[in-house]
Amino acid sequence: MKKLMTRMCVLAAVLLAGGAPARAATIEWTNTSGGIYNTPGNWQGGVLPGILDLARFSVAGPFQVSLSGGHTNDALRFDGNSAPITLNLAGYTLYASNALYVGYTAGQSPVVVVSNGNLRMERLQLAANSSGGEMTMIDSSNDVSTLGGLAVGLTGTGLLTMANANTRLNVSGTGAHQLGGSAGGLGTLVISNGQMNIAGGLDVGLAGEGVMRVVRGTNLVAGTIVIGRSLGGRGTVIMEEPGAEVRGALNLALGTGTIGRLYLRGGLYHGDGETKVSEYGEALIVMTGGSLVLTNNPGNFYLPRYTGTGTLVMAHPDSSITLQGTSRGFQLGADRGHGEMIMSNGSLRIWNMQLGTAGAGAYGSLHMYNATNILTDSGGRALTIGDGGGTTGLLVMADERALLRGQEGGTGGGTLLGSAGDGTMILSNGTMYTKGLLLGNAVGARGTVIIQDARLYVQTNAVSIGNNNGSWGWMSVDHP
């Protein structure tokens, strides 16, 4: 009986051991000359990493690793200071069911090139834990599928490059993805060519520094793009050549202490939804080419929205901004913020414009040189300068080629200076068309027009100076 019980205990132990799941292991690549990913002999202990294992590359390159069939691991991790490791997928699919890390250990700066196949991962993280990390995608289709799963430059310096027209990166996970995640992090995304889709949003400079360069023949689609989100965040987006296209709601410098910059040198940025060029931070847009087409349904264009500062410069004949949709207000200096727009060249086509609106201390200014501004509002006031109480608005036209054309089909004035604030218009040169002109509309409001070597055409309706008791209006005409 005693022997029988002993045998049963041994059998139970064997069965339990055989039925238990294999424990996850970290298995190192060991072949410094490269080789086939699926070959066990290229891995530590002659064991091919399985679906529960972490496959780790820490040996020095350069070398190439090729797939001979599809494979799945829990995670892939590239560490070590090395020349490029080329991961040739050879038409197969490599799947990291948890994450792929390029740069995980502090002080390490791996470089990885992915080509010729399909790379799938729940998360893609470059440069975590004060490390460096670079990945280049060539002729490959890549998918990141987890909420907020794309992170480049978490706490270190990371670079992700899409290198040619046959490259695809589909970030199907929702939430906010990030370039430059925290203080000390620098994340850069370079889209030289190809297609990138982001189901959620992209924070370029979350709380660190983020840079995105969109070069040519590219198409980036995202829900929302925020350039400088949280305290310490510094974001820069550069669109460099014709053929580059980006689509997504546009927001710059949202938080206090943030900096957001957009340099549009070519291509098309198509914004969907409300556009905020600074809320509480410092924002700059410089257009030396290319187009902004903004469809604000709902919402307006704010430069800035609250207490931040925003500057927009248009400096090339090919620069253009078109504001369309059901809400098409273009506001410079809203809600106590300071907004400045300089049109040294280019064209602006919008519904209506307010310079200095909604909030004491708000300031908005527009300086026009060799530029064209078309205001298409046919049922309301097209241009208001000094809209709210305690606000200040300024319009300067300073070049004979400057053209501002406003329309207004109602009974009020097409242009109003000093609705409840202080509005000034200096026409030292150029041509302006408006249907109606009103200077000083409410108690304490001030409207001033100074005309020098310029042409002002008030097409219909009246010119009204000092429209209500307690308002102040003044016009000076000094024309040769």
Side-chain angles (χ1 to χ4, degrees):
M1 186 67 180
K2 184 176 180 181
K3 290 182 179 180
L4 179 62
M5 291 296 295
T6 301
R7 289 172 182 171
M8 291 178 66
C9 289
V10 170
L11 178 61
V14 170
L15 289 172
L16 287 171
R23 296 185 62 187
T26 298
I27 301 177
E28 297 273 355
W29 177 270
T30 57
N31 191 340
T32 58
S33 299
I36 302 300
Y37 191 100
N38 311 68
T39 300
N42 289 323
W43 296 91
Q44 179 183 8
V47 177
L48 177 65
I51 60 174
L52 299 178
D53 298 326
L54 186 154
R56 184 169 184 259
F57 292 83
S58 59
V59 296
F63 57 82
Q64 176 172 289
V65 177
S66 301
L67 263 65
S68 60
H71 197 74
T72 299
N73 296 118
D74 177 71
L76 276 77
R77 185 187 300 171
F78 292 86
D79 276 323
N81 290 303
S82 65
I85 296 175
T86 299
L87 188 58
N88 180 9
L89 302 175
Y92 297 106
T93 298
L94 180 61
Y95 178 41
S97 60
N98 184 353
L100 190 153
Y101 305 96
V102 180
Y104 190 84
T105 303
Q108 305 299 306
S109 299
V111 178
V112 179
V113 178
V114 178
S115 65
N116 304 318
N118 303 299
L119 180 63
R120 296 177 53 216
M121 56 228 122
E122 293 297 301
R123 293 177 292 141
L124 174 59
Q125 297 189 356
L126 277 67
N129 305 319
S130 300
S131 66
E134 297 183 19
M135 173 179 277
T136 299
M137 298 174 174
I138 303 174
D139 293 325
S140 59
S141 178
N142 309 275
D143 185 85
V144 179
S145 55
T146 294
L147 175 75
L150 175 64
V152 181
L154 284 165
T155 56
T157 300
L159 171 61
L160 176 61
T161 301
M162 297 174 60
N164 68 353
N166 296 322
T167 301
R168 301 289 183 270
L169 177 56
N170 182 40
V171 185
S172 57
T174 57
H177 308 273
Q178 56 186 273
L179 307 177
S182 59
L186 169 58
T188 301
L189 171 64
V190 178
I191 310 176
S192 294
N193 220 316
Q195 170 78 40
M196 183 174 184
N197 295 301
I198 302 176
L202 178 64
D203 290 344
V204 183
L206 173 59
E209 184 172 356
V211 178
M212 181 170 72
R213 291 179 53 225
V214 185
V215 182
R216 60 183 178 277
T218 58
N219 196 331
L220 168 63
V221 179
T224 300
I225 296 177
V226 177
I227 308 173
R229 177 179 284 277
S230 302
L231 180 66
R234 303 179 307 281
T236 302
V237 173
I238 305 169
M239 296 182 63
E240 296 195 359
E241 298 180 21
E245 184 172 348
V246 175
R247 178 182 290 270
L250 176 62
N251 295 281
L252 290 85
L254 294 189
T256 302
T258 58
I259 298 174
R261 296 187 175 94
L262 171 62
Y263 297 97
L264 189 54
R265 299 168 182 167
L268 169 65
Y269 191 111
H270 195 138
D272 298 313
E274 188 171 72
T275 302
K276 291 173 284 190
V277 185
S278 175
E279 278 195 342
Y280 299 98
E282 177 185 328
L284 172 66
I285 298 178
V286 178
M287 301 180 65
T288 54
S291 300
L292 274 173
V293 177
L294 305 172
T295 304
N296 292 357
N297 290 326
N300 298 308
F301 179 97
Y302 298 101
L303 179 82
R305 182 66 176 94
Y306 295 116
T307 58
T309 60
T311 303
L312 172 57
V313 179
M314 300 179 68
H316 193 278
D318 295 334
S319 300
S320 67
I321 299 177
T322 302
L323 188 60
Q324 56 193 23
T326 56
S327 299
R328 291 168 281 180
F330 197 95
Q331 299 186 6
L332 304 182
D335 297 317
R336 297 162 290 152
H338 284 218
E340 180 180 17
M341 183 171 181
I342 302 170
M343 296 182 68
S344 62
N345 226 313
S347 63
L348 175 67
R349 187 177 183 86
I350 59 179
W351 184 246
N352 57 48
M353 173 179 282
Q354 297 87 41
L355 308 179
T357 181
Y363 174 83
S365 68
L366 170 62
H367 292 74
M368 294 182 62
Y369 300 94
N370 183 18
T372 300
N373 187 347
I374 305 295
L375 307 175
T376 62
D377 190 344
S378 60
R381 187 166 289 115
L383 175 62
T384 304
I385 304 175
D387 187 30
T391 65
T392 302
L394 172 65
L395 169 64
V396 177
M397 297 178 64
D399 190 292
E400 65 178 359
R401 295 164 294 183
L403 172 64
L404 193 155
R405 183 181 293 276
Q407 300 181 38
E408 199 279 333
T411 58
T415 299
L416 171 58
L417 289 91
S419 176
D422 189 345
T424 302
M425 186 163 67
I426 302 173
L427 308 181
S428 62
N429 219 317
T431 303
M432 177 177 176
Y433 295 89
T434 182
K435 292 184 177 181
L437 178 64
L438 192 155
L439 311 181
N441 190 51
V443 175
R446 297 169 60 89
T448 303
V449 174
I450 300 172
I451 304 174
Q452 295 169 331
D453 191 15
R455 294 160 297 280
L456 173 61
Y457 297 96
V458 182
Q459 296 169 287
T460 61
N461 301 329
V463 175
S464 179
I465 300 176
N467 193 50
N468 287 310
N469 291 334
S471 65
W472 185 91
W474 184 70
M475 178 182 285
S476 170
V477 180
D478 181 16
H479 196 286

